[in-house]
Amino acid sequence: MRFSGLRVLKEGLTGNKGWRPHWRDPAPKPEYDLVIIGGGGHGLSTAYYLARDHGLTNVAVLERGYIGGGNIGRNTTIVRANYFLQGNSEFYSHSLKLWEGLEEDLNYNVMHSQRGILNLFHSDGQRDAAARRGNMMLSQGDDAILLGREELRAKVPFLNFDDQRFPLYGALYHPRGGTARHDAVAWGYARGADSRGVDLIQNCEVTGIDVENGRVTGVQTVRGPIRAKKVAMVAAGRSSQVAAMAGMRLPIESHILQAFVTEGLKPVIDHVITFGMGHFYISQSDKGGLVFGGDLDFYASYAARGNLPTVEHVMEAGMALMPMIGKARVLRSWGGIMDMSPDGSPIIDRTPIDGLYVNCGWNYGGFKAVPASGNVFAHLLATDQYHPAATRFRLDRFRTGRGILDEEGTGSQHNLH
Ligand SMILES: Cc1cc2nc3c(=O)[nH]c(=O)nc-3n(C[C@H](O)[C@H](O)[C@H](O)COP(=O)(O)OP(=O)(O)OC[C@H]3O[C@@H](n4cnc5c(N)ncnc54)[C@H](O)[C@@H]3O)c2cc1C
């Protein structure tokens, strides 16, 4: 079923009777070439690129809940390619390029909106760091513009420019950055994978990973055992629990991150804005709600809901940056479980168990990574070679110390990234 303007017109005129479900609801088969544990953004995009680029379709995605119920449907939807260090910068650059063609590729409206991101700075030191980052982005072939205070004011006059503690000096502007509708991304990839023959199996929790003589042979699920030649663990916040089923201990801590949305307002914030003196980021959804978030709750947990001290902290940052936000009423807030790696960068690699692969460590930033993550992971699964855009995301870097990608410069500690 292809979507087009003509199709919408035809369905509208004929009572909308021709629409079909986006994906099938198959029963699990006893055996697959490849099983993906986790039907979030990364699991689904991996399945899609396995089928599209490598012709591998005897594949099942096993999801314990429903498609779109994890972090893929809980994030603040920011998409960007503004990383500083080699390793990360080429990967996120690759991802943004895939985003730019995604809707045509999937024949699905993911509402990708390149409205531009403004990373604010508040001191000379921060301006220098922003300039260095901008130069890295340009050298990677991406876009970056250093804005002074008055150029910034012309774009976002409602910010608190003269706050005594956090005066605004300017911003690093990334015009190709922006947002996308998060659950549409899950649905688009799910539909694309399903239409190529991948089985998406919801309500199918994996409860065990079978390993014989150092080689993976399948998984145990609440719907029975499934044999598989290869198994890919793509469980985001629950990666440690899933890896433990194969006797592995991952360098991952799971922390809560909250998000907030206000009542719908008339258009007021045209860009994505990030505060430089606190962890606060905000954009306005196409429905009009202000969507914003801040820091982790700062303790490890598998509860997908947050606590009041962080709510207060996020609201304070919002009020310091744009006092007008105090007039908006918060409609909803929620939490997601973040797979925090010690250096704030992902892991996409084989494991010491033959046929078992891992994709995790997405921290705050895994939504924008969804296209590239699936693309490079599918490449690794199908060819056993690292994709050129993802050669540094090795599992052993935390053991050897080689190749740590400490983007924030804060050291190797999960809750600092
Ligand atoms: C509040 C919040 C704001 C965020 N903001 C942004 C942002 O603005 N930009 C950005 O780039 N990133 C952001 N992120 C991060 C991003 O959402 C995540 O990094 C990314 O979604 C994680 O990958 P995923 O989509 O595959 O995860 P998920 O959707 O969580 O997928 C993992 C899936 O695995 C399933 N699973 C777990 N265990 C099992 C099992 N045993 N058997 C079967 N299935 C299992 C889960 O049910 C889940 O559906 C944010 C996250 C949160 C929580």
Side-chain angles (χ1 to χ4, degrees):
M1 184 180 70
R2 281 196 69 76
F3 292 118
S4 67
L6 207 62
R7 182 76 196 253
V8 172
L9 196 68
K10 186 178 157 223
E11 291 296 337
L13 293 173
T14 55
N16 285 307
K17 298 211 176 76
W19 302 120
R20 299 271 169 273
H22 276 23
W23 52 85
R24 298 162 296 132
D25 187 18
K29 292 194 282 197
E31 181 162 6
Y32 289 93
D33 290 337
L34 205 149
V35 155
I36 295 171
I37 306 174
H42 295 254
L44 295 167
S45 64
T46 301
Y48 173 75
Y49 292 112
L50 276 170
R52 192 199 77 170
D53 297 349
H54 306 282
L56 292 176
T57 54
N58 188 21
V59 172
V61 178
L62 308 182
E63 167 53 48
R64 75 202 281 264
Y66 61 94
I67 299 294
N71 289 324
I72 185 63
R74 291 169 181 264
N75 56 68
T76 42
T77 77
I78 301 170
V79 172
R80 58 190 164 88
N82 60 354
Y83 278 69
F84 181 57
L85 294 184
Q86 239 180 355
N88 277 330
S89 61
E90 66 266 34
F91 174 78
Y92 287 101
S93 183
H94 180 54
S95 205
L96 188 54
K97 289 185 192 104
L98 290 171
W99 276 106
E100 286 170 335
L102 194 61
E103 290 170 335
E104 290 79 6
D105 185 17
L106 296 177
N107 176 232
Y108 204 80
N109 183 7
V110 301
M111 294 164 75
H112 182 214
S113 158
Q114 292 184 293
R115 59 186 66 181
I117 296 185
L118 294 161
N119 294 128
L120 306 177
F121 49 80
H122 309 260
S123 66
D124 290 332
Q126 280 194 331
R127 182 196 289 116
D128 289 350
R132 279 212 328 266
R133 181 176 291 267
N135 284 332
M136 264 313 279
M137 290 159 65
L138 293 174
S139 71
Q140 182 58 48
D142 292 314
D143 58 318
I145 302 169
L146 201 67
L147 299 181
R149 183 179 158 91
E150 293 314 314
E151 292 164 303
L152 178 65
R153 197 195 296 273
K155 286 192 181 303
V156 281
F158 51 82
L159 294 185
N160 188 2
F161 277 78
D162 298 311
D163 185 280
Q164 290 298 302
R165 289 174 72 199
F166 313 124
L168 278 170
Y169 278 43
L172 183 62
Y173 180 40
H174 174 33
R176 283 167 63 229
T179 59
R181 177 160 174 201
H182 47 199
D183 31 25
V185 174
W187 301 334
Y189 273 116
R191 175 174 167 269
D194 171 86
S195 67
R196 285 169 170 78
V198 172
D199 282 355
L200 307 180
I201 303 170
Q202 302 181 77
N203 299 312
C204 187
E205 180 171 358
V206 172
T207 53
I209 297 178
D210 300 330
V211 180
E212 282 170 27
N213 302 323
R215 181 159 189 94
V216 78
T217 56
V219 294
Q220 299 292 323
T221 80
V222 291
R223 296 173 68 175
I226 300 176
R227 289 189 304 280
K229 297 187 184 81
K230 289 184 177 179
V231 173
M233 302 184 288
V234 201
R238 295 194 178 266
S239 296
S240 306
Q241 291 177 326
V242 170
M245 295 174 196
M248 285 177 59
R249 187 152 181 253
L250 290 180
I252 293 291
E253 276 186 14
S254 292
H255 287 255
I256 305 161
L257 180 67
Q258 302 190 57
F260 307 86
V261 65
T262 70
E263 60 194 335
L265 302 169
K266 287 186 178 171
V268 55
I269 302 181
D270 293 339
H271 307 87
V272 179
I273 303 172
T274 75
F275 190 25
M277 292 305 288
H279 207 163
F280 179 81
Y281 34 92
I282 187 162
S283 65
Q284 187 165 17
S285 80
D286 293 344
K287 270 200 301 194
L290 305 183
V291 181
F292 56 96
D295 249 323
L296 298 173
D297 272 44
F298 282 118
Y299 59 91
S301 170
Y302 289 110
R305 60 177 182 274
N307 290 284
L308 288 172
T310 303
V311 177
E312 188 177 15
H313 176 73
V314 172
M315 301 302 160
E316 279 173 359
M319 287 296 289
L321 181 63
M322 49 177 84
M324 71 169 187
I325 202 177
K327 288 191 180 164
R329 279 171 294 196
V330 172
L331 210 59
R332 287 183 291 129
S333 71
W334 61 89
I337 310 166
M338 317 299 307
D339 38 330
M340 306 300 293
S341 67
D343 63 356
S345 299
I347 299 164
I348 303 178
D349 207 352
R350 305 178 191 93
T351 72
I353 297 169
D354 275 352
L356 183 65
Y357 299 76
V358 63
N359 174 318
C360 67
W362 293 105
N363 299 267
Y364 299 88
F367 176 60
K368 63 183 177 295
V370 162
S373 165
N375 188 258
V376 305
F377 196 38
H379 182 90
L380 179 67
L381 289 164
T383 65
D384 259 316
Q385 305 290 321
Y386 296 109
H387 187 284
T391 54
R392 304 267 304 262
F393 301 148
R394 308 283 284 269
L395 178 58
D396 69 0
R397 70 183 187 269
F398 306 103
R399 185 170 48 79
T400 63
R402 277 195 302 276
I404 295 273
L405 280 160
D406 182 9
E407 196 70 45
E408 306 273 328
T410 36
S412 206
Q413 193 176 326
H414 304 80
N415 63 5
L416 292 181
H417 289 278

